[in-house]
Amino acid sequence: MAKARQKTEAKASKNKLTEAQIAVHWKEEKYFYPSKKFKAQANLTDPSFVKKFSEKNFPKCFDLYAQLLDWDKSWKKTLDASNPPFWKWFVGGKLNACYNCVDRHLAQHKNKAALIFVPEPEHESAAVITYQELYKRVNETAAMLRDFAGLKTGDRVTIHMPMIPELPITMLACARLGVIHSVVFGGFSGEACGLRAADSGSRVLIYADGYHRNGKWVDHKPSADIAVETARKEGQDIDKVLFWKRYPGHYRSESPMIVNRDFFVEDILKDYRGQTVEPVSQDAEAPLFLMYTSGTTGKPKGCQHRTGGYLAYAAGTSKYYQDIHPEDVYWCMADIGWITGHSYIVYGPLALGATSVLYEGVPQFPDAARPWRIAERLDVNIFHTSPTAIRMLRKAGGDEPKKYNYHFKHMTTVGEPIEPEVWRWYYEVVGKGEAVIVDTWWQTETGGFLCTTKPALDPMKPGSAGPPALGIYPVIWDENGQEVKPGTGKAGNICIRNPWPGIMQTIWGSSERFVNQYYKKYCKNPKSKDWRDWPYYAADGAVLPADGYYRILGRVDDVINVAGHRLGTKEVESACLSVPDIAEAAVVPVVDEIKGRVPEVYISLKPGVSPSKAVKDKVVSTIETIIGKIARPKQIHIVPDMPKTRSGKIMRRVLAAISNHMDTGDITTLANPDIVAQIRELVQGRVTGPLQDGPEDIKLFGEEK
Ligand code: WTA
């Protein structure tokens, strides 16, 4: 008996995959080389600039990014690392982010387009906002926020707005005052917004009455009422809600305004016409904004970004990796409600005095050629989007780009791994074989790019983010802290050995969580005051071939990357559990042709409740109410029981394998191994096809750590 058990356990431990043990079999892709024509104008062509970022010049090398900004008072020390992992960047320096993105461009570029707003309805013409007009509008808005809303430096304000110019205007007005903005993605529900508002301690919410999305008018006002109610339940009173109107002069919501709480911005702004507000000179370390993101727990965390370091990093990477020149028309199709929009629609491009295009709608409206028509009309030459958008545009209109006369010199992909086949379509068809591609790997927490090729200088490899960005020193470790050497074909956890200016300061209100989440895993000595002992743990799996091109495999924690958006499985599970009929819930990622991964939900019901479509519908509507439509599961499976370990933990890894038609691996150590076959039959039916060798992130998903 004992022998048999030993044998089983030995087999189980052999079968238990760790990140480092997974051999990643993938075909090495051929390099693509940038055209000579492009090289001539790339911002990084000076090789001595690149050399200045060699490791021996750390951290001083980052002064080169900070020098792209105007400082009221220059910094005394580049990095103060005396209290790891709470780094201080550009210590003693003072600046204002809004001044850097707006005022300082007036002298030479006041008539240049800062923002070009493209409404989703195609019959509405694009609206240009010059730096001069941006300056006026930001100042008036700042005066209103200060004098009418009573906001002062250090206060937080939650902004739940769609992609309209008033969103960056509001953000910049906050930055002018030193008010910390927290933008919540427009597609999140009112409840999700209210929870974030409460966590950040916001007394003021800023909304829009509605917006266009995929051909429909979305009435956004009711979401504000829910947000206020949710915040109140959490103990946070909201004094004022300010509403921008999508169409000035016309209120397009059916929902009534609440007297003394809800105000139309256009009414109030009348009192502030022509007013200017002195930009508040901020300490480099003063928080600029919060951006909530999903992690391993049920509660989203507010990533707190600093003013000086963040802006320097966003500006530096925009200049050298987005390669923005003064004459370029730059279009990033992300949403400002995510970090990509903050760094690479608003702060980075505007700090450089560039022209940034803002598109209200979805890429495929009214058809899959819309982005190419916009590019042709505005003569966009730098384009930035996600693999999900690329996959969708390819599927819905693979030949469309050929019909339009636009020419990109540069294209970015961000947010998810891109399949080499999709990369090649992006390169050959969208980029017409002329544009370089940068595949940029980074995260909400990191403020800007961590891995990417140098545009026009490094060869490109489809599916690989490539070498580290300037001044970033990554390493891959296995679970035991052993380095996974380049060229071994093994995957491991990618970490960054050194601090950099774009890294978040902390998690709002929870420094302990910040340390535990990002620094504890590979900290060599918690008492150490040496930054070398405090590498940043990214929670992404990666593999590194001998050529030094990092290939990112995906999350190794309980985060599902749905269409490039982070969704915490625990958040979805706790939403399911708020339905009274549900006993247990488990959420797993499933491969999706367009969105990369989508969540699938497994639930078991409380005794006496019978399975029905009504229960499933209730779960879906609850998830949409608590989180938003982006979390809508692909399927819901009602199961008699969950596969569990002997200690009662749900084995999500087994469920993920079933949902993806993959091998479940060894299940003999489960408390209830028989349930696995039952669930497989329930999900896949009786006819089971051959099992697939699925992607690495799914193999790793739900692995007990
Ligand atoms: C994933 C988005 C592969 C990764 C900027 C990361 C990527 C998460 C890439 C962060 C890429 C981002 N290739 N995977 N080029 N870029 N990711 O916080 O799993 O919304 O951890 O930031 O997206 O998502 P977040």
Side-chain angles (χ1 to χ4, degrees):
M1 267 301 271
K3 219 170 177 184
R5 212 178 71 211
Q6 257 173 21
K7 217 168 143 190
T8 318
E9 276 168 10
K11 194 172 151 220
S13 84
K14 202 171 125 224
N15 283 351
K16 187 168 163 352
L17 297 170
T18 66
E19 286 80 349
Q21 283 165 338
I22 292 185
V24 184
H25 303 293
W26 67 300
K27 200 166 85 17
E28 271 292 316
E29 292 291 329
K30 282 202 316 264
Y31 288 122
F32 281 67
Y33 292 89
S35 75
K36 292 229 163 46
K37 185 175 135 212
F38 187 97
K39 257 183 210 166
Q41 53 172 333
N43 268 326
L44 261 183
T45 33
D46 174 5
S48 73
F49 187 83
V50 175
K51 268 204 198 108
K52 286 182 189 142
F53 281 84
S54 66
E55 209 169 337
K56 69 176 195 320
N57 293 332
F58 176 84
K60 285 293 279 181
C61 53
F62 285 115
D63 286 0
L64 293 165
Y65 282 0
Q67 282 156 6
L68 296 172
L69 306 177
D70 280 2
W71 294 76
D72 303 330
K73 192 169 157 225
S74 68
W75 59 99
K76 290 201 175 63
K77 197 168 182 199
T78 304
L79 169 67
D80 173 357
S82 61
N83 182 27
F86 300 95
W87 325 114
K88 291 192 174 135
W89 282 94
F90 309 118
V91 187
K94 291 198 137 207
L95 78 167
N96 181 276
C98 174
Y99 176 86
N100 272 281
C101 292
V102 185
D103 305 38
R104 67 171 180 151
H105 306 311
L106 295 181
Q108 291 192 0
H109 301 297
K110 71 174 177 195
N111 271 329
K112 179 175 174 176
L115 299 167
I116 304 180
F117 169 58
V118 181
E120 191 186 77
E122 210 162 2
H123 63 270
E124 285 183 31
S125 47
V128 172
I129 298 178
T130 62
Y131 275 97
Q132 169 65 21
E133 192 185 354
L134 185 62
Y135 172 78
K136 286 284 182 196
R137 296 191 64 184
V138 166
N139 269 284
E140 290 170 356
T141 307
M144 173 191 72
L145 294 181
R146 185 187 61 190
D147 299 341
F148 177 77
L151 291 167
K152 51 184 192 319
T153 306
D155 286 350
R156 280 79 55 208
V157 60
T158 296
I159 305 174
H160 196 200
M161 285 177 69
M163 286 287 284
I164 57 176
E166 288 75 13
L167 172 53
I169 287 171
T170 308
M171 290 162 67
L172 291 164
C174 289
R176 195 166 190 86
L177 299 169
V179 168
I180 304 167
H181 59 71
S182 169
V183 179
V184 176
F185 170 58
F188 275 124
S189 67
E191 285 201 26
C193 174
L195 284 179
R196 287 158 174 79
D199 187 79
S200 67
S202 297
R203 287 186 303 104
V204 175
L205 296 186
I206 305 180
Y207 262 79
D209 59 346
Y211 55 97
H212 295 281
R213 190 161 180 88
N214 210 8
K216 293 199 188 78
W217 173 256
V218 181
D219 184 352
H220 196 43
K221 163 72 168 65
S223 157
D225 299 326
I226 297 168
V228 172
E229 208 35 58
T230 308
R232 196 188 332 271
K233 281 195 207 133
E234 294 282 305
Q236 178 67 35
D237 284 335
I238 305 290
D239 305 337
K240 288 190 169 72
V241 189
L242 308 181
F243 289 90
W244 294 93
K245 288 181 193 159
R246 167 67 176 81
Y247 294 95
H250 305 275
Y251 180 49
R252 293 273 305 257
S253 170
E254 321 234 299
S255 178
M257 298 285 276
I258 310 272
V259 180
N260 287 335
R261 187 201 77 185
D262 295 349
F263 302 91
F264 289 123
V265 172
E266 66 180 24
D267 295 343
I268 305 156
L269 271 185
K270 288 191 185 119
D271 299 336
Y272 297 92
R273 182 167 301 137
Q275 289 210 13
T276 51
V277 171
E278 196 53 31
V280 174
S281 192
Q282 287 276 81
D283 199 280
E285 278 295 302
L288 178 61
F289 67 86
L290 307 180
M291 162 109 327
Y292 281 83
T293 192
S294 299
T296 44
T297 63
K299 202 171 158 234
K301 50 199 176 195
C303 295
Q304 178 182 321
H305 282 282
R306 53 172 63 78
T307 305
Y310 168 81
L311 196 64
Y313 201 69
T317 48
S318 292
K319 173 158 185 180
Y320 295 108
Y321 289 103
Q322 291 303 299
D323 203 54
I324 302 176
H325 290 64
E327 66 279 17
D328 290 329
V329 180
Y330 167 84
W331 180 19
C332 171
M333 210 166 56
D335 194 292
I336 294 176
W338 305 108
I339 193 71
T340 302
H342 273 49
S343 299
Y344 299 112
I345 298 178
V346 182
Y347 284 112
L350 296 184
L352 298 178
T355 297
S356 188
V357 176
L358 197 87
Y359 173 54
E360 177 181 31
V362 299
Q364 73 280 20
F365 183 80
D367 55 67
R370 183 69 189 281
W372 324 130
R373 288 198 291 278
I374 295 173
E376 183 184 75
R377 172 165 289 231
L378 303 180
D379 202 17
V380 172
N381 66 344
I382 307 180
F383 184 63
H384 186 149
T385 194
S386 66
T388 289
I390 304 168
R391 287 190 287 259
M392 198 184 57
L393 293 167
R394 174 173 178 248
K395 187 162 184 221
D399 286 329
E400 291 301 317
K402 294 180 187 148
K403 302 178 193 160
Y404 295 89
N405 184 22
Y406 67 85
H407 293 276
F408 295 149
K409 67 163 186 170
H410 184 299
M411 305 190 299
T412 306
T413 163
V414 63
E416 318 151 63
I418 183 166
E419 300 76 6
E421 191 195 330
V422 177
W423 191 100
R424 281 190 283 271
W425 179 78
Y426 196 33
Y427 181 79
E428 276 148 19
V429 182
V430 178
K432 306 181 175 184
E434 303 164 337
V436 295
I437 294 182
V438 291
D439 179 347
T440 58
W441 168 68
W442 61 297
Q443 307 175 309
T444 304
E445 293 86 342
T446 75
F449 304 148
L450 293 178
C451 281
T452 161
T453 47
K454 294 181 222 37
L457 301 171
D458 294 331
M460 301 163 275
K461 189 153 96 175
S464 287
L470 292 172
I472 301 292
Y473 296 94
V475 58
I476 300 181
W477 277 308
D478 68 13
E479 284 296 309
N480 307 318
Q482 295 296 316
E483 183 176 349
V484 181
K485 293 261 161 47
T488 53
K490 301 248 170 45
N493 298 318
I494 185 163
C495 299
I496 310 297
R497 286 193 282 111
N498 61 309
W500 67 99
I503 182 68
M504 67 195 279
Q505 287 179 296
T506 187
I507 292 176
W508 178 259
S510 183
S511 295
E512 199 186 318
R513 210 173 145 198
F514 172 67
V515 178
N516 290 342
Q517 175 78 40
Y518 304 106
Y519 291 96
K520 198 170 154 201
K521 190 170 174 88
Y522 290 110
C523 177
K524 298 191 184 84
N525 168 13
K527 294 220 168 68
S528 168
K529 295 287 172 202
D530 185 345
W531 61 260
R532 288 167 196 82
D533 292 328
W534 292 86
Y536 170 80
Y537 168 66
D540 269 321
V543 65
L544 180 63
D547 63 4
Y549 272 47
Y550 288 89
R551 179 180 172 234
I552 306 299
L553 303 171
R555 303 289 304 193
V556 295
D557 56 1
D558 297 326
V559 169
I560 306 181
N561 192 335
V562 186
H565 305 323
R566 276 163 70 165
L567 199 63
T569 53
K570 296 272 174 7
E571 281 167 64
V572 185
E573 287 168 6
S574 64
C576 296
L577 292 175
S578 72
V579 177
D581 296 338
I582 308 300
E584 286 181 307
V587 174
V588 302
V590 179
V591 174
D592 182 87
E593 194 195 349
I594 300 292
K595 294 181 173 177
R597 304 285 177 271
V598 287
E600 216 164 84
V601 170
Y602 286 80
I603 47 176
S604 66
L605 304 174
K606 286 196 182 141
V609 182
S610 24
S612 67
K613 185 169 174 298
V615 176
K616 290 188 184 183
D617 291 347
K618 183 93 184 89
V619 171
V620 173
S621 69
T622 306
I623 293 172
E624 287 187 2
T625 308
I626 296 184
I627 304 173
K629 284 206 164 45
I630 52 163
R632 194 189 172 93
K634 188 171 194 172
Q635 283 205 62
I636 299 199
H637 304 293
I638 303 179
V639 294
D641 195 6
M642 300 283 178
K644 287 188 191 132
T645 61
R646 292 204 176 119
S647 57
K649 275 197 199 156
I650 299 177
M651 290 295 282
R652 290 172 179 75
R653 171 172 69 79
V654 172
L655 297 172
I658 294 174
S659 280
N660 289 285
H661 296 250
M662 286 160 60
D663 183 4
T664 48
D666 184 63
I667 50 165
T668 50
T669 53
L670 292 189
N672 53 351
D674 298 344
I675 198 75
V676 177
Q678 275 184 58
I679 298 179
R680 197 182 275 283
E681 190 176 322
L682 219 139
V683 173
Q684 299 174 357
R686 236 168 232 292
V687 263
T688 50
L691 295 175
Q692 290 163 12
D693 182 25
E696 282 72 21
D697 63 321
I698 290 183
K699 284 185 202 153
L700 297 171
F701 181 82
E703 188 65 25
E704 276 178 282
K705 298 268 158 51

